[in-house]
Amino acid sequence: MIITKVLGLTSALTKSKKAKIAILGLEMAVLGYALYQQKQEKKNKRLKS
């Protein structure tokens, strides 16, 4: 969450459209990774139970 807020702030301060698109792509990658990790943790919890 902290990373997303920092990237969102950077995006708001940036005027270049290419930079905004790159930052948005990075945000999406970070969020996708976080969702993947969360899914793996839930899967591992079920296997251990």
Side-chain angles (χ1 to χ4, degrees), residues 26-48:
L26 185 59
E27 281 185 27
M28 289 173 58
V30 169
L31 290 174
Y33 179 73
L35 289 173
Y36 173 76
Q37 288 293 98
Q38 187 178 31
K39 186 177 179 181
Q40 291 299 324
E41 286 178 16
K42 285 182 182 180
K43 186 177 179 181
N44 288 340
K45 271 188 180 178
R46 276 188 278 149
L47 292 175
K48 288 181 182 179

Side-chain angles (χ1 to χ4, degrees), residues 1-14 19-35:
M1 284 300 211
I2 294 171
I3 293 173
T4 303
K5 289 180 182 180
V6 169
L7 290 175
L9 178 62
T10 305
S11 178
L13 297 175
T14 304
K20 286 183 181 181
I21 291 171
I23 291 168
L24 180 61
L26 185 59
E27 281 185 27
M28 289 173 58
V30 169
L31 290 174
Y33 179 73
L35 289 173

